[in-house]
Amino acid sequence: MLRIYILIFVIGILGGIGYGAKYYYDTTQATIATLRENNVKLESAVEIAEQSVTTLQQDMVKIGELNKELSGALQKAEAYGDELRTKLSKLNLVVEALKDSKQLEGKMNGATAKLWRGLMDDTGGDGNRPDPQWLQQVPAGTGNKSSDQSGKGTDTDGSKTKATPTQ
């Protein structure tokens, strides 16, 4: 009888060891499957990150080129602003306005109309719109090249205007 008990005990131990080995094998296989899935996800994430880095590098090159273009345009705009300041410093608008206000008004209206037409051209308009109502028509015999009878003055060159010395 003792042998039967020993046999049952040995079979129980061997069964427990077998069950433990099977449990360990199943959990290890499940862990390996989970790790494979995570590895695939990580490889995909790394690939996307590499593509993002490449795209960002290309964008930085484009941004650098556009920045250079904008810097050049800014320098041109600043030079134009300096030129306009120089022209305006040579003009004495108060004396000119007192001397011949209609002529000055014609110049200003013509220059303003030209500016608006330029803005319309630059923003997709055809620039052939009629002049606005506020653009005053200068009577015949007054005015200058910058405002004709049609109100479509195009000559806004301030270098042709003579500066009058102040008294």
Side-chain angles (χ1 to χ4, degrees):
M1 183 99 153
L2 185 59
R3 285 187 170 199
I4 293 179
Y5 288 126
I6 292 176
L7 183 64
I8 292 174
F9 180 71
V10 169
I11 290 176
I13 289 177
L14 290 176
I17 291 173
Y19 178 77
K22 177 159 180 13
Y23 176 77
Y24 176 76
Y25 177 80
D26 289 342
T27 57
T28 303
Q29 291 300 317
T31 303
I32 289 172
T34 303
L35 291 174
R36 281 186 187 146
E37 291 173 8
N38 289 344
N39 191 28
V40 168
K41 291 176 185 177
L42 287 175
E43 287 175 357
S44 170
V46 166
E47 183 178 322
I48 290 171
E50 289 174 353
Q51 289 175 353
S52 297
V53 167
T54 304
T55 303
L56 285 173
Q57 289 172 343
Q58 292 171 350
D59 288 347
M60 289 302 292
V61 169
K62 288 178 186 177
I63 288 171
E65 292 171 0
L66 291 173
N67 194 15
K68 286 179 185 178
E69 288 179 25
L70 284 174
S71 295
L74 177 63
Q75 288 175 352
K76 287 179 184 178
E78 287 176 347
Y80 180 66
D82 292 341
E83 179 184 336
L84 287 177
R85 277 190 277 291
T86 303
K87 286 180 181 180
L88 284 174
S89 69
K90 292 179 183 178
L91 295 175
N92 189 347
L93 294 177
V94 174
V95 172
E96 194 171 330
L98 292 173
K99 185 177 174 184
D100 190 1
S101 62
K102 288 292 184 185
Q103 182 180 11
L104 180 61
E105 187 176 356
K107 287 180 185 179
M108 298 301 285
N109 285 342
T112 305
K114 181 180 179 185
L115 177 67
W116 279 111
R117 278 191 218 95
L119 284 173
M120 284 188 250
D121 287 341
D122 291 343
T123 56
D126 59 5
N128 292 329
R129 289 183 139 185
D131 289 332
Q133 288 180 329
W134 52 261
L135 183 60
Q136 179 180 352
Q137 301 288 329
V138 178
T142 62
N144 66 0
K145 293 179 184 177
S146 65
S147 72
D148 56 12
Q149 290 299 317
S150 67
K152 295 185 179 182
T154 58
D155 184 12
T156 58
D157 187 6
S159 63
K160 295 180 183 177
T161 306
K162 296 180 182 176
T164 311
T166 57
Q167 296 177 352

Coordinates of all heavy atoms in Angstrom, one line a residue, residues 109 130-137:
N109 N -4.7 113.1 -55.6 CA -5.7 112.2 -56.1 C -5.2 111.2 -57.2 O -5.6 110.1 -57.2 CB -6.9 113.0 -56.6 CG -7.7 113.6 -55.5 OD1 -7.6 113.2 -54.4 ND2 -8.5 114.6 -55.8
P130 N -13.7 101.7 -62.7 CA -13.8 103.2 -62.8 C -13.2 103.8 -61.5 O -13.2 103.2 -60.5 CB -15.3 103.4 -62.9 CG -15.9 102.2 -62.4 CD -15.0 101.0 -62.7
D131 N -12.8 105.0 -61.7 CA -12.3 105.8 -60.5 C -13.3 106.0 -59.5 O -14.5 106.1 -59.8 CB -11.8 107.1 -61.0 CG -10.5 107.0 -61.8 OD1 -9.8 106.0 -61.6 OD2 -10.3 107.9 -62.7
P132 N -13.0 106.0 -58.2 CA -13.9 106.1 -57.1 C -14.5 107.6 -57.2 O -13.9 108.5 -57.7 CB -13.1 105.9 -55.9 CG -11.7 106.0 -56.3 CD -11.6 105.7 -57.7
Q133 N -15.7 107.7 -56.5 CA -16.4 109.0 -56.5 C -15.5 110.1 -55.8 O -15.6 111.2 -56.1 CB -17.7 108.9 -55.8 CG -18.7 108.1 -56.7 CD -20.0 108.0 -55.9 OE1 -20.1 108.0 -54.7 NE2 -21.1 107.9 -56.7
W134 N -14.7 109.7 -54.8 CA -14.0 110.7 -54.1 C -12.9 111.3 -54.9 O -12.3 112.3 -54.5 CB -13.5 110.2 -52.8 CG -12.7 108.9 -52.9 CD1 -13.1 107.6 -52.7 CD2 -11.3 108.8 -53.3 NE1 -12.1 106.7 -53.0 CE2 -11.0 107.4 -53.3 CE3 -10.3 109.7 -53.7 CZ2 -9.8 106.9 -53.7 CZ3 -9.1 109.2 -54.0 CH2 -8.8 107.8 -54.0
L135 N -12.5 110.7 -56.0 CA -11.4 111.3 -56.8 C -12.0 112.5 -57.6 O -12.7 112.4 -58.5 CB -10.9 110.2 -57.8 CG -9.8 110.6 -58.7 CD1 -8.6 111.0 -57.8 CD2 -9.4 109.5 -59.6
Q136 N -11.5 113.6 -57.1 CA -12.0 114.9 -57.7 C -11.4 115.1 -59.1 O -10.2 115.0 -59.3 CB -11.6 116.0 -56.8 CG -12.1 117.4 -57.3 CD -11.6 118.5 -56.3 OE1 -11.2 118.2 -55.2 NE2 -11.8 119.7 -56.7
Q137 N -12.2 115.5 -60.0 CA -11.8 115.9 -61.3 C -11.2 117.3 -61.2 O -11.9 118.2 -60.7 CB -13.0 115.9 -62.3 CG -13.6 114.5 -62.4 CD -12.8 113.5 -63.2 OE1 -12.0 113.9 -64.0 NE2 -12.9 112.3 -62.8

